[in-house]
Coordinates of all heavy atoms in Angstrom, one line a residue:
M47 N 129.6 129.1 154.4 CA 130.4 128.3 153.6 C 131.2 127.2 154.4 O 131.5 127.4 155.5 CB 131.4 129.1 152.8 CG 130.9 130.3 152.1 SD 129.7 129.7 150.7 CE 130.9 128.9 149.6
P48 N 131.4 126.0 153.7 CA 132.2 125.0 154.4 C 133.6 125.6 154.8 O 134.3 126.1 154.0 CB 132.3 123.9 153.3 CG 131.1 124.0 152.5 CD 130.9 125.5 152.5
A49 N 133.9 125.4 156.0 CA 135.1 126.0 156.6 C 136.4 125.5 155.8 O 137.4 126.4 155.6 CB 135.3 125.7 158.0
M50 N 136.4 124.3 155.4 CA 137.6 123.7 154.7 C 137.9 124.4 153.3 O 138.9 124.3 152.8 CB 137.4 122.3 154.5 CG 136.2 121.8 153.6 SD 136.0 120.1 153.5 CE 137.4 119.5 152.6
F51 N 136.8 125.1 152.8 CA 137.0 125.7 151.5 C 137.2 127.2 151.5 O 137.4 127.8 150.5 CB 135.8 125.4 150.6 CG 135.7 124.0 150.1 CD1 134.5 123.3 150.3 CD2 136.8 123.4 149.6 CE1 134.4 122.0 149.9 CE2 136.7 122.0 149.2 CZ 135.5 121.3 149.3
I52 N 137.2 127.8 152.7 CA 137.4 129.2 152.8 C 138.7 129.7 152.3 O 138.8 130.7 151.5 CB 137.0 129.8 154.1 CG1 135.5 129.7 154.4 CG2 137.5 131.2 154.4 CD1 135.1 130.1 155.7
P53 N 139.8 129.0 152.7 CA 141.2 129.4 152.1 C 141.2 129.4 150.6 O 141.7 130.2 149.9 CB 142.2 128.4 152.7 CG 141.5 128.0 154.0 CD 140.0 128.0 153.7
A54 N 140.6 128.3 150.0 CA 140.5 128.2 148.6 C 139.7 129.3 148.0 O 140.0 129.8 146.9 CB 139.9 126.8 148.2
C55 N 138.6 129.6 148.7 CA 137.7 130.7 148.2 C 138.5 132.0 148.1 O 138.4 132.8 147.2 CB 136.5 130.9 149.1 SG 135.4 132.2 148.7
M56 N 139.4 132.3 149.1 CA 140.1 133.5 149.2 C 141.1 133.5 148.0 O 141.4 134.5 147.4 CB 140.9 133.6 150.5 CG 139.9 133.7 151.7 SD 140.8 133.5 153.3 CE 141.9 135.0 153.3
A57 N 141.7 132.3 147.7 CA 142.6 132.2 146.6 C 141.9 132.5 145.3 O 142.5 133.1 144.4 CB 143.3 130.8 146.6
I58 N 140.7 131.9 145.1 CA 139.9 132.1 143.9 C 139.7 133.6 143.7 O 139.8 134.1 142.6 CB 138.7 131.3 143.9 CG1 138.9 129.8 143.9 CG2 137.7 131.7 142.8 CD1 137.7 129.0 144.3
Q59 N 139.3 134.2 144.8 CA 139.0 135.7 144.7 C 140.2 136.5 144.3 O 140.0 137.5 143.6 CB 138.4 136.2 146.1 CG 137.0 135.6 146.4 CD 136.5 136.0 147.7 OE1 137.3 136.0 148.7 NE2 135.3 136.3 147.9
S60 N 141.4 136.0 144.6 CA 142.6 136.8 144.3 C 143.2 136.4 143.0 O 143.9 137.2 142.3 CB 143.6 136.6 145.4 OG 143.1 137.2 146.6
H61 N 143.0 135.1 142.6 CA 143.9 134.6 141.5 C 143.1 133.9 140.4 O 143.8 133.4 139.5 CB 144.9 133.7 142.1 CG 145.9 134.4 143.0 ND1 146.9 135.2 142.6 CD2 145.9 134.4 144.4 CE1 147.6 135.7 143.7 NE2 147.0 135.2 144.7
F62 N 141.8 133.8 140.4 CA 141.2 133.1 139.4 C 141.0 134.1 138.2 O 140.3 135.1 138.2 CB 139.8 132.6 139.8 CG 139.0 131.9 138.7 CD1 139.6 130.9 137.9 CD2 137.7 132.3 138.5 CE1 138.8 130.3 136.9 CE2 136.9 131.7 137.5 CZ 137.5 130.7 136.7
N63 N 141.7 133.8 137.1 CA 141.6 134.6 135.8 C 141.3 133.7 134.6 O 142.2 133.4 133.9 CB 143.0 135.4 135.7 CG 143.1 136.4 136.7 OD1 142.4 137.4 136.8 ND2 144.1 136.2 137.6
P64 N 140.1 133.4 134.4 CA 139.7 132.5 133.3 C 139.9 133.2 132.0 O 139.8 134.5 131.9 CB 138.3 132.2 133.5 CG 137.7 133.4 134.3 CD 138.8 133.8 135.2
R65 N 140.0 132.5 131.0 CA 140.1 133.0 129.6 C 138.6 133.2 129.1 O 137.7 132.6 129.5 CB 140.9 132.1 128.7 CG 142.3 131.9 129.1 CD 142.9 130.6 128.6 NE 142.2 129.4 129.1 CZ 142.7 128.1 129.0 NH1 143.8 127.9 128.5 NH2 141.9 127.2 129.5
P66 N 138.4 134.1 128.1 CA 137.1 134.3 127.5 C 136.4 133.0 127.0 O 135.3 132.9 127.0 CB 137.4 135.3 126.4 CG 138.6 136.0 126.8 CD 139.5 135.0 127.5
S67 N 137.3 132.0 126.6 CA 136.7 130.8 126.0 C 136.3 129.8 127.1 O 135.6 128.9 126.8 CB 137.8 130.1 125.1 OG 138.9 129.8 125.9
D68 N 136.8 130.0 128.3 CA 136.5 129.1 129.4 C 135.0 129.1 129.9 O 134.3 130.1 129.6 CB 137.4 129.3 130.6 CG 138.9 129.0 130.3 OD1 139.1 128.1 129.5 OD2 139.8 129.5 130.9
I69 N 134.6 128.1 130.5 CA 133.2 128.0 131.0 C 133.2 127.6 132.4 O 134.0 126.7 132.9 CB 132.4 126.9 130.2 CG1 132.5 127.2 128.7 CG2 131.1 126.7 130.7 CD1 132.7 126.0 127.8
L70 N 132.4 128.3 133.3 CA 132.3 128.1 134.7 C 130.8 127.6 135.0 O 129.9 128.4 134.7 CB 132.6 129.4 135.4 CG 132.5 129.3 137.0 CD1 133.4 128.2 137.6 CD2 132.8 130.6 137.6
L71 N 130.7 126.5 135.5 CA 129.4 125.9 135.9 C 129.3 126.1 137.4 O 130.1 125.8 138.2 CB 129.4 124.4 135.6 CG 129.8 123.9 134.2 CD1 129.7 122.4 134.2 CD2 128.9 124.5 133.1
V72 N 128.1 126.7 137.7 CA 127.9 127.0 139.1 C 126.5 126.5 139.6 O 125.6 126.6 138.8 CB 127.9 128.6 139.4 CG1 127.9 128.9 140.9 CG2 129.2 129.2 138.8
T73 N 126.5 126.0 140.7 CA 125.2 125.4 141.3 C 125.2 125.6 142.8 O 126.3 125.8 143.4 CB 125.1 123.9 141.0 OG1 126.2 123.3 141.6 CG2 125.0 123.6 139.5
S74 N 124.1 125.6 143.4 CA 124.0 125.4 144.8 C 124.2 123.9 145.1 O 123.9 123.1 144.2 CB 122.6 125.8 145.3 OG 122.3 127.2 145.1
P75 N 124.7 123.6 146.2 CA 124.9 122.2 146.5 C 123.6 121.4 146.3 O 122.6 121.8 146.8 CB 125.4 122.2 148.0 CG 126.1 123.4 148.1 CD 125.2 124.4 147.3
K76 N 123.8 120.2 145.7 CA 122.6 119.3 145.5 C 121.5 119.9 144.6 O 120.3 119.8 144.9 CB 122.0 118.8 146.8 CG 123.1 118.3 147.8 CD 124.1 117.4 147.2 CE 123.5 116.1 146.6 NZ 124.5 115.3 145.9
S77 N 121.9 120.5 143.5 CA 121.0 121.1 142.6 C 121.2 120.6 141.1 O 120.8 121.3 140.2 CB 121.1 122.6 142.6 OG 120.7 123.2 143.8
G78 N 121.8 119.5 141.0 CA 122.1 119.0 139.6 C 123.5 119.2 139.2 O 123.7 119.1 137.9
T79 N 124.4 119.4 140.0 CA 125.8 119.6 139.7 C 126.4 118.6 138.8 O 127.0 118.8 137.8 CB 126.7 119.8 140.9 OG1 126.0 120.7 141.8 CG2 128.1 120.3 140.6
T80 N 126.3 117.3 139.2 CA 126.9 116.2 138.6 C 126.3 116.0 137.1 O 127.1 115.8 136.2 CB 126.6 114.9 139.4 OG1 127.0 115.1 140.7 CG2 127.4 113.7 138.7
W81 N 125.0 116.2 137.0 CA 124.4 116.1 135.7 C 124.8 117.2 134.8 O 125.2 117.0 133.6 CB 122.9 116.2 135.9 CG 122.1 115.9 134.7 CD1 122.3 115.0 133.6 CD2 120.8 116.5 134.3 NE1 121.4 115.0 132.7 CE2 120.4 115.9 133.1 CE3 120.0 117.4 134.9 CZ2 119.2 116.3 132.4 CZ3 118.7 117.7 134.4 CH2 118.4 117.1 133.1
L82 N 124.9 118.5 135.3 CA 125.3 119.6 134.5 C 126.8 119.4 134.0 O 127.1 119.7 132.9 CB 125.2 120.9 135.2 CG 125.6 122.2 134.5 CD1 124.7 122.3 133.3 CD2 125.4 123.4 135.4
K83 N 127.6 118.9 134.9 CA 129.0 118.6 134.5 C 129.0 117.6 133.4 O 129.8 117.8 132.4 CB 129.8 118.1 135.7 CG 130.2 119.1 136.8 CD 131.1 118.5 137.8 CE 131.7 119.5 138.8 NZ 132.6 118.9 139.7
A84 N 128.4 116.6 133.5 CA 128.4 115.5 132.5 C 127.9 116.1 131.1 O 128.5 115.8 130.1 CB 127.5 114.3 132.9
L85 N 126.8 116.7 131.2 CA 126.2 117.3 129.9 C 127.1 118.3 129.3 O 127.3 118.2 128.0 CB 124.9 117.9 130.2 CG 123.7 117.1 130.5 CD1 122.5 117.9 131.1 CD2 123.3 116.2 129.3
S86 N 127.7 119.2 130.0 CA 128.6 120.2 129.5 C 129.9 119.6 128.9 O 130.3 119.9 127.8 CB 128.9 121.2 130.5 OG 127.8 121.8 131.0
F87 N 130.5 118.6 129.6 CA 131.7 118.0 129.2 C 131.5 117.2 128.0 O 132.2 117.3 127.0 CB 132.2 117.0 130.3 CG 133.5 116.4 130.0 CD1 134.8 117.0 130.1 CD2 133.5 115.1 129.4 CE1 135.9 116.3 129.8 CE2 134.6 114.4 129.1 CZ 135.9 115.1 129.3
A88 N 130.4 116.4 127.9 CA 130.1 115.6 126.7 C 129.8 116.4 125.5 O 130.2 116.1 124.4 CB 128.9 114.7 127.0
T89 N 129.2 117.6 125.7 CA 128.8 118.5 124.6 C 130.0 119.2 124.0 O 130.3 119.2 122.8 CB 127.8 119.5 125.1 OG1 126.6 118.9 125.6 CG2 127.5 120.5 123.9
L90 N 130.8 119.7 124.9 CA 132.1 120.4 124.5 C 133.0 119.5 123.8 O 133.7 119.9 122.8 CB 132.7 121.1 125.7 CG 134.0 122.0 125.4 CD1 133.6 123.2 124.5 CD2 134.6 122.4 126.6
H91 N 133.1 118.3 124.3 CA 134.2 117.4 123.7 C 133.6 116.3 122.8 O 134.2 115.2 122.7 CB 135.0 116.8 124.9 CG 135.7 117.8 125.7 ND1 136.8 118.5 125.3 CD2 135.5 118.2 127.0 CE1 137.2 119.3 126.3 NE2 136.5 119.1 127.3
R92 N 132.4 116.5 122.3 CA 131.8 115.5 121.5 C 132.5 115.1 120.3 O 132.4 114.0 119.7 CB 130.4 115.9 121.1 CG 130.3 117.2 120.2 CD 128.8 117.5 120.0 NE 128.6 118.6 119.0 CZ 128.6 119.9 119.4 NH1 128.8 120.2 120.7 NH2 128.3 120.8 118.5
H93 N 133.4 115.9 119.8 CA 134.2 115.6 118.6 C 135.5 114.8 118.9 O 136.2 114.3 118.0 CB 134.6 116.8 117.8 CG 133.3 117.6 117.3 ND1 132.4 117.0 116.6 CD2 132.9 118.9 117.5 CE1 131.4 117.9 116.3 NE2 131.7 119.0 116.9
S94 N 135.8 114.7 120.2 CA 137.1 114.1 120.6 C 136.9 112.7 121.1 O 137.9 111.9 121.1 CB 137.7 114.9 121.8 OG 137.8 116.2 121.4
F95 N 135.6 112.3 121.5 CA 135.5 111.0 122.0 C 134.3 110.2 121.4 O 133.3 111.0 121.0 CB 135.3 111.0 123.5 CG 136.3 111.7 124.3 CD1 136.1 113.0 124.8 CD2 137.6 111.2 124.4 CE1 137.0 113.7 125.5 CE2 138.6 111.9 125.1 CZ 138.3 113.2 125.6
S96 N 134.4 109.0 121.3 CA 133.2 108.2 120.8 C 132.3 107.9 122.0 O 132.8 107.8 123.2 CB 133.6 106.9 120.1 OG 134.2 106.1 121.1
F97 N 131.0 107.6 121.8 CA 130.1 107.3 122.8 C 130.4 105.9 123.4 O 130.1 105.7 124.6 CB 128.6 107.3 122.4 CG 128.2 108.8 122.1 CD1 127.9 109.2 120.8 CD2 128.0 109.6 123.1 CE1 127.6 110.5 120.5 CE2 127.6 111.0 122.9 CZ 127.4 111.4 121.6
S98 N 131.0 105.0 122.7 CA 131.3 103.7 123.2 C 132.6 103.6 124.1 O 132.7 102.7 124.8 CB 131.5 102.7 121.9 OG 132.6 103.2 121.2
D99 N 133.4 104.7 124.0 CA 134.7 104.6 124.7 C 134.8 106.1 125.3 O 135.9 106.7 125.2 CB 135.9 104.3 123.9 CG 137.1 104.1 124.7 OD1 137.0 103.8 125.9 OD2 138.2 104.3 124.1
H100 N 133.8 106.5 126.0 CA 133.8 107.9 126.5 C 134.4 108.0 127.9 O 134.3 107.1 128.7 CB 132.3 108.5 126.5 CG 132.2 110.0 126.5 ND1 132.4 110.7 127.6 CD2 132.0 110.8 125.5 CE1 132.2 112.0 127.4 NE2 132.0 112.1 126.0
P101 N 135.1 109.1 128.2 CA 135.7 109.3 129.5 C 134.6 109.2 130.6 O 135.0 108.8 131.7 CB 136.3 110.7 129.4 CG 136.6 110.9 128.0 CD 135.5 110.3 127.2
L102 N 133.4 109.6 130.4 CA 132.4 109.6 131.4 C 132.0 108.1 131.7 O 131.3 107.9 132.8 CB 131.1 110.3 130.9 CG 131.3 111.8 131.0 CD1 130.1 112.5 130.3 CD2 131.4 112.3 132.4
L103 N 132.4 107.2 130.9 CA 132.1 105.7 131.2 C 133.1 105.2 132.2 O 132.8 104.1 132.9 CB 132.1 104.9 129.9 CG 131.1 105.3 128.9 CD1 131.3 104.4 127.6 CD2 129.7 105.2 129.4
S104 N 134.2 105.8 132.4 CA 135.2 105.4 133.3 C 135.7 106.4 134.4 O 136.6 106.1 135.2 CB 136.4 104.8 132.5 OG 136.9 105.8 131.7
N105 N 135.2 107.6 134.2 CA 135.5 108.7 135.2 C 134.3 109.3 135.7 O 133.3 109.4 135.0 CB 136.4 109.7 134.5 CG 137.7 109.2 134.0 OD1 138.8 109.2 134.8 ND2 137.8 108.7 132.8
T106 N 134.3 109.8 136.9 CA 133.1 110.5 137.4 C 133.1 111.9 136.8 O 134.1 112.4 136.3 CB 133.2 110.7 138.9 OG1 134.2 111.7 139.2 CG2 133.5 109.4 139.7
P107 N 131.9 112.5 136.7 CA 131.8 113.8 136.1 C 132.6 114.8 136.9 O 133.1 115.8 136.3 CB 130.3 114.2 136.3 CG 129.6 112.8 136.2 CD 130.5 111.9 136.9
H108 N 132.9 114.5 138.2 CA 133.7 115.5 139.0 C 135.1 115.3 138.6 O 135.9 116.3 138.9 CB 133.5 115.2 140.5 CG 132.0 115.3 140.9 ND1 131.4 116.6 140.8 CD2 131.1 114.5 141.3 CE1 130.1 116.4 141.2 NE2 129.9 115.2 141.5
Q109 N 135.6 114.2 138.1 CA 136.9 114.1 137.6 C 137.1 114.7 136.3 O 138.2 115.2 136.0 CB 137.3 112.5 137.5 CG 137.4 111.9 138.9 CD 137.6 110.4 138.7 OE1 136.9 109.7 138.0 NE2 138.5 109.7 139.5
C110 N 136.1 114.7 135.5 CA 136.2 115.4 134.2 C 136.1 116.9 134.2 O 136.7 117.6 133.4 CB 135.0 114.8 133.3 SG 135.2 113.1 132.9
V111 N 135.3 117.4 135.2 CA 135.1 118.8 135.4 C 135.4 119.2 136.8 O 134.7 118.9 137.7 CB 133.7 119.3 135.1 CG1 133.5 120.8 135.2 CG2 133.3 118.9 133.6
P112 N 136.6 119.8 137.1 CA 137.1 120.0 138.4 C 136.4 121.2 139.1 O 136.0 122.1 138.4 CB 138.6 120.3 138.3 CG 138.7 120.9 136.9 CD 137.6 120.2 136.1
F113 N 136.3 121.1 140.4 CA 135.7 122.2 141.2 C 136.9 123.2 141.4 O 138.0 122.8 141.7 CB 135.2 121.8 142.5 CG 133.9 121.3 142.6 CD1 133.5 119.9 142.8 CD2 132.8 122.1 142.4 CE1 132.3 119.5 142.8 CE2 131.4 121.7 142.4 CZ 131.2 120.4 142.6
L114 N 136.7 124.5 141.2 CA 137.7 125.5 141.5 C 138.1 125.4 143.0 O 139.2 125.6 143.3 CB 137.1 126.9 141.3 CG 136.9 127.3 139.8 CD1 136.3 128.8 139.8 CD2 138.2 127.3 139.1
E115 N 137.1 125.1 143.9 CA 137.4 125.0 145.3 C 138.5 123.9 145.5 O 139.3 124.0 146.5 CB 136.2 124.7 146.1 CG 135.2 125.8 146.2 CD 134.1 125.7 145.0 OE1 134.4 125.2 143.9 OE2 133.0 126.1 145.2
S116 N 138.5 122.9 144.7 CA 139.6 121.8 144.9 C 140.9 122.2 144.2 O 142.0 122.0 144.7 CB 139.0 120.5 144.2 OG 137.9 120.1 144.9
L117 N 140.8 122.8 143.0 CA 142.0 123.3 142.3 C 142.8 124.3 143.1 O 144.1 124.2 143.0 CB 141.6 123.9 140.9 CG 141.1 123.0 139.9 CD1 140.7 123.8 138.6 CD2 142.2 121.9 139.4
F118 N 142.1 125.1 143.8 CA 142.9 126.1 144.6 C 143.0 125.7 146.1 O 143.3 126.6 146.9 CB 142.1 127.4 144.5 CG 142.2 128.2 143.2 CD1 141.5 127.8 142.1 CD2 143.1 129.2 143.1 CE1 141.6 128.5 140.9 CE2 143.3 129.9 141.9 CZ 142.6 129.5 140.8
S119 N 142.9 124.5 146.4 CA 143.1 124.0 147.8 C 144.4 123.3 148.1 O 144.5 122.7 149.1 CB 141.9 123.1 148.2 OG 141.9 121.9 147.4
H120 N 145.3 123.3 147.1 CA 146.5 122.5 147.3 C 147.7 123.4 147.8 O 148.9 123.1 147.5 CB 146.9 121.8 146.1 CG 145.8 120.8 145.7 ND1 145.5 119.7 146.4 CD2 144.9 120.9 144.7 CE1 144.5 119.0 145.8 NE2 144.1 119.7 144.8
R121 N 147.4 124.6 148.3 CA 148.5 125.5 148.8 C 149.5 125.9 147.8 O 150.7 126.1 148.0 CB 149.2 124.8 150.0 CG 148.3 124.5 151.2 CD 149.1 124.2 152.5 NE 149.8 125.4 152.9 CZ 149.3 126.4 153.6 NH1 148.0 126.4 153.9 NH2 150.1 127.4 154.0
T122 N 148.9 126.0 146.6 CA 149.6 126.5 145.4 C 148.6 127.1 144.4 O 147.4 126.8 144.5 CB 150.5 125.5 144.7 OG1 151.3 126.2 143.7 CG2 149.7 124.5 144.1
I123 N 149.1 128.1 143.7 CA 148.1 128.7 142.7 C 148.3 128.0 141.4 O 149.3 128.0 140.8 CB 148.5 130.2 142.5 CG1 148.5 130.9 143.8 CG2 147.4 130.9 141.6 CD1 147.2 130.9 144.6
P124 N 147.2 127.3 140.9 CA 147.3 126.6 139.7 C 147.4 127.6 138.4 O 146.8 128.6 138.4 CB 146.0 125.8 139.6 CG 145.0 126.7 140.4 CD 145.8 127.3 141.5
D125 N 148.3 127.2 137.5 CA 148.4 127.9 136.3 C 147.4 127.4 135.3 O 147.7 126.4 134.5 CB 149.8 127.8 135.7 CG 150.1 128.6 134.5 OD1 149.1 129.3 134.1 OD2 151.2 128.5 133.9
L126 N 146.2 128.0 135.3 CA 145.2 127.5 134.4 C 145.4 127.6 132.9 O 144.8 127.0 132.1 CB 143.8 128.2 134.8 CG 143.5 128.1 136.3 CD1 142.1 128.7 136.5 CD2 143.4 126.5 136.7
N127 N 146.4 128.5 132.6 CA 146.6 128.8 131.2 C 147.3 127.6 130.5 O 147.4 127.5 129.2 CB 147.6 130.0 131.1 CG 146.8 131.3 131.4 OD1 145.6 131.4 131.0 ND2 147.5 132.2 132.1
V128 N 147.8 126.6 131.2 CA 148.4 125.4 130.6 C 147.3 124.4 130.1 O 147.6 123.5 129.4 CB 149.4 124.7 131.5 CG1 150.5 125.7 132.0 CG2 148.6 124.1 132.7
L129 N 146.0 124.7 130.6 CA 145.0 123.8 130.2 C 144.5 124.2 128.7 O 144.6 125.2 128.3 CB 143.9 123.9 131.2 CG 144.2 123.5 132.6 CD1 143.0 123.8 133.5 CD2 144.5 122.0 132.7
P130 N 143.9 123.2 128.1 CA 143.3 123.4 126.7 C 142.3 124.5 126.8 O 141.6 124.7 127.8 CB 142.7 122.1 126.3 CG 143.2 121.0 127.3 CD 143.7 121.8 128.6
S131 N 142.1 125.2 125.7 CA 141.1 126.3 125.6 C 140.0 125.8 124.6 O 140.4 125.4 123.5 CB 141.7 127.5 125.1 OG 140.8 128.6 125.0
P132 N 138.8 125.7 125.0 CA 138.3 126.1 126.4 C 138.4 125.0 127.4 O 138.5 123.8 127.0 CB 136.8 126.5 126.1 CG 136.4 125.5 125.0 CD 137.7 125.5 124.1
T133 N 138.4 125.3 128.7 CA 138.3 124.3 129.7 C 137.0 124.7 130.6 O 136.7 125.8 130.7 CB 139.5 124.4 130.7 OG1 140.6 124.0 129.9 CG2 139.4 123.6 131.9
I134 N 136.3 123.6 131.1 CA 135.2 123.7 131.9 C 135.6 123.6 133.4 O 136.3 122.7 133.7 CB 134.1 122.7 131.6 CG1 133.8 122.7 130.1 CG2 132.8 123.0 132.4 CD1 132.8 121.6 129.7
F135 N 135.2 124.6 134.2 CA 135.4 124.5 135.6 C 134.0 124.5 136.3 O 133.0 124.8 135.6 CB 136.2 125.7 136.1 CG 137.5 125.9 135.5 CD1 137.7 126.8 134.4 CD2 138.6 125.1 135.8 CE1 139.0 127.0 133.8 CE2 139.9 125.3 135.3 CZ 140.0 126.2 134.3
A136 N 134.0 124.2 137.6 CA 132.8 124.2 138.3 C 133.0 124.9 139.7 O 134.2 124.9 140.1 CB 132.2 122.8 138.5
A137 N 131.9 125.3 140.3 CA 132.0 125.9 141.6 C 130.7 125.9 142.3 O 129.6 125.9 141.7 CB 132.6 127.4 141.5

Side-chain angles (χ1 to χ4, degrees):
M47 305 299 294
M50 62 185 292
F51 289 131
I52 289 181
C55 179
M56 296 170 66
I58 293 167
Q59 290 175 320
S60 298
H61 297 285
F62 178 52
N63 291 295
R65 298 158 297 194
S67 61
D68 290 334
I69 300 142
L70 178 60
L71 311 178
V72 189
T73 57
S74 296
K76 310 315 299 173
S77 296
T79 310
T80 308
W81 187 35
L82 181 61
K83 283 186 174 187
L85 287 170
S86 302
F87 181 84
T89 300
L90 183 65
H91 298 291
R92 63 184 183 272
H93 301 303
S94 302
F95 308 108
S96 67
F97 289 109
S98 60
D99 188 28
H100 201 279
L102 285 169
L103 299 178
S104 55
N105 298 270
T106 72
H108 301 295
Q109 291 173 316
C110 295
V111 179
F113 277 111
L114 287 179
E115 294 91 328
S116 296
L117 288 176
F118 283 82
S119 65
H120 299 292
R121 300 194 65 81
T122 185
I123 307 299
D125 183 4
L126 304 182
N127 289 322
V128 303
L129 298 174
S131 176
T133 291
I134 308 175
F135 302 101

